[in-house]
Amino acid sequence: MLKRISFSSFFISILYFLIYFFVPALKNAVYSGGFWAILHALMGVILIVGVFGIVLFTLHYLFSDPTKK
């Protein structure tokens, strides 16, 4: 359940930044501050943590011993 929530929030943050990149009205809302600026910061943190997790899990998969439990 927690894994599904974390993956879905990561993909929602990717979708948010794609929309942010292509919609000027959302950029203006973020620049004005308030709720949208806080949401933007939260989505940025989720995106950074998600990318870091993907890199970490990939390195763990590549360099861990499959026979060791």
Side-chain angles (χ1 to χ4, degrees):
M1 178 74 174
L2 185 60
K3 185 184 270 189
R4 187 170 70 174
I5 292 172
S6 62
F7 283 138
S8 62
S9 64
F10 175 68
F11 288 117
I12 288 171
S13 71
I14 290 173
L15 180 65
Y16 168 79
F17 279 108
L18 286 173
I19 292 170
Y20 174 78
F21 183 70
F22 290 113
V23 178
L26 185 58
K27 285 183 184 180
N28 290 335
V30 170
Y31 293 153
S32 68
F35 169 76
W36 290 104
I38 294 171
L39 180 69
H40 186 78
L42 180 67
M43 290 295 171
V45 168
I46 291 171
L47 185 67
I48 290 170
V49 169
V51 169
F52 180 71
I54 289 171
V55 169
L56 192 67
F57 289 136
T58 303
L59 289 175
H60 176 69
Y61 175 76
L62 291 175
F63 295 111
S64 66
D65 186 14
T67 60
K68 186 178 179 182
K69 291 186 179 183

